Amino acid sequence: RYFNDKAIQTIMRMGVANGVKRFWIGENGLLSTPAVSSIIRERGPVWQKAYGAFILTASHNPGGPEEDFGIKYNCENGGPATDATTNQMYANTTTIKKYKICKDFPEIDINKLGSTTVKAADGSDEITVEVISSTETQLDLLKTAFDFPAIKALLDRPDFSMIYDCMHGVNGPYAKKCFVDILGQPESVCLNATPKDDFNGGHADPNLTYAKELVEIMGLDRKGMSIDTGDKAVPAFGAAADGDGDRNMILGSKFFVSPSDSLAVIAAYSNAIPFFRSQGGLKGVARSMPTSGAVDLVAKDMNFALFETPTGWKYFGNLMDSKALYGDTDYTPFICGEESFGTGSDHIREKDGLWAVLAWLSILASVNTDPSAPLVTVEDVVTKHWKKYGRNYYCRWDFEGVSKEGANKMMDKMRGDIPANTGKTVGKYTISKSDDFTYVDPVDGSIAKNKGIRFLMEDGSRIIFRLSGTAGSGATVRMYIEQYEAEKIDAVASEALSELCRVALDLSGMKEFIGTEEPTVIT
């Protein structure tokens, strides 16, 4: 979080010059993305609610001297700015000639809780800046959504242990508040829980490659395969958070839960969570287009409304607000998720890493009500789910920091090949449809185009390519591979998908355009 301290003061001075009268700043200048959404939505009274929020984040690039600083804006519903809003922002940047700033506004101590009132010298204006608890609003909300006593009973079992890796991102204070202060667990459950502006030299991305310390503790390698841990005890449950606190990775003892499977399992066990159960049960689910179809099977079985959207939480927000803002169908209570380790519900309008961890602990608590019985594990829950619904073998290959020019040429070639590829046979697969994903929003009718090249096979397998806009310097190419098996659920994912991965590399011309077929990260 480089430059946060300076940027916060600048944003306040520009806000004052543009007529803003009140500011809420997270203590020490830190707020997780889900906490920002909860504060916009929950902190009152109504007449004092926030109009919106600036989130200073290293994950929305490019920005800053080395593309390590970015700004994200969230609107009054607590969700990310819509396409219409960001398009207007961009249009304004093409014509702006000057900006307003109140250079004489004093620097505010953002490390001290409390309210500061600044009055104009002539008494014509008064500005209030309140430094607020970073954790209070979000934790108060989560305590209403989950059965904390049931979770505590699970955590207190002698045969259950957990570890939560915050990766030196913003999530550390939230994890400590939740698991140490509220649920009474030892501080050792929180790993790397001190926020640092450089993430302690690491890369705060909750996946098998970058959460290396946690993954090893949980008895796995970077491919999700079990390793020999000797006589070391492996925790029953592990989780990781990203730098912003909005994403999550879930692990069992020597077992990796893919984000797509995590979403499907949470939807299937949603009644274990009071937020859904007390509102008559889950009504709707949504996934981003690259996310596997595992949750689709649950939705069909349990009669949930189902949506496939482009990548980006703002598309989920429209569905959540369909009735409240548009007077349309009410799809809430609602669960949504992305294969990029983002999961959440309509309690806020952002993905929420801590929510996902509590959701999984709620599920485990619901299947472990008898403290004298053997522990039902994360792996037990997922395996039972696969036996009922089948398994969507799935992986994502990330090619990070590649040439933007080469990546764009590769995508353009695949777009140009769409007519020729439709109906083509490659290996044992026949491409029933190739396209560039277009989404027509069922709520407001807006259209999002060019959201990913898809190869849809006759047997239901899928290959997808996207360029990521939030992954750092250079370009990041993401390749998604999915194959469904109704009965063969115990294969190694990399082996089950090896032939389809080869087909994907050949269709894309990966080696020709970016110079390698070796991914930086596999999840």
Side-chain angles (χ1 to χ4, degrees), residues 62-125:
E66 297 181 31
E67 296 190 350
D68 51 11
F69 176 82
I71 296 178
K72 183 179 156 198
Y73 184 75
N74 278 34
C75 298
E76 55 199 303
N77 73 334
T82 62
D83 283 344
T85 302
T86 54
N87 288 342
Q88 185 60 57
M89 289 178 180
Y90 173 73
N92 289 347
T93 67
T94 65
T95 60
I96 192 169
K97 298 289 194 299
K98 58 184 179 181
Y99 64 89
K100 297 178 181 179
I101 187 167
C102 182
K103 293 183 178 180
D104 293 331
F105 192 76
E107 185 160 314
I108 302 296
D109 183 357
I110 60 174
N111 300 314
K112 183 179 179 181
L113 291 173
S115 182
T116 300
T117 299
V118 179
K119 296 182 179 180
D122 61 2
S124 62
D125 209 354

Side-chain angles (χ1 to χ4, degrees), residues 272-410:
I273 300 170
F275 181 83
F276 303 108
R277 186 174 63 247
S278 64
Q279 296 184 76
L282 186 64
K283 287 184 182 178
V285 295
R287 62 169 175 83
S288 64
M289 179 273 290
T291 303
S292 93
V295 76
D296 303 28
L297 302 170
V298 176
K300 182 178 180 181
D301 177 52
M302 302 183 74
N303 199 31
F304 301 145
L306 172 68
F307 302 91
E308 181 184 40
T309 76
T311 298
W313 216 258
K314 56 192 172 186
Y315 300 105
F316 297 147
N318 253 17
L319 295 167
M320 295 178 196
D321 289 328
S322 178
K323 182 178 180 180
L325 297 185
Y326 299 95
D328 206 336
T329 305
D330 186 3
Y331 299 117
T332 61
F334 197 83
I335 287 176
C336 43
E338 298 177 335
E339 49 67 39
S340 52
F341 296 88
T343 328
S345 82
D346 62 298
H347 69 295
I348 56 174
R349 295 297 181 269
E350 282 281 5
K351 46 189 173 282
D352 189 342
L354 183 53
W355 177 93
V357 171
L358 291 171
W360 263 96
L361 292 173
S362 297
I363 292 168
L364 292 171
S366 76
V367 296
N368 284 289
T369 54
D370 182 356
S372 65
L375 182 72
V376 179
T377 67
V378 170
E379 183 175 359
D380 293 335
V381 169
V382 176
T383 301
K384 182 179 179 181
H385 182 89
W386 288 340
K387 287 179 179 178
K388 179 175 181 178
Y389 291 106
R391 182 175 178 184
N392 295 71
Y393 287 96
Y394 183 89
C395 70
R396 186 184 92 188
W397 289 15
D398 289 358
F399 299 83
E400 297 179 345
V402 302
S403 162
K404 290 182 180 180
E405 181 183 4
N408 283 321
K409 284 182 177 179
M410 184 182 75

Side-chain angles (χ1 to χ4, degrees), residues 258-271:
S258 77
S260 297
D261 281 335
S262 178
L263 172 64
V265 170
I266 293 173
Y269 283 85
S270 56
N271 270 345

Side-chain angles (χ1 to χ4, degrees), residues 24 38-45 49-50 130 132 136-137:
W24 291 335
S38 65
I39 288 168
I40 293 173
R41 296 178 61 80
E42 300 291 328
R43 189 176 175 87
K49 279 192 168 294
E130 187 176 357
I132 63 175
E136 183 178 30
T137 302

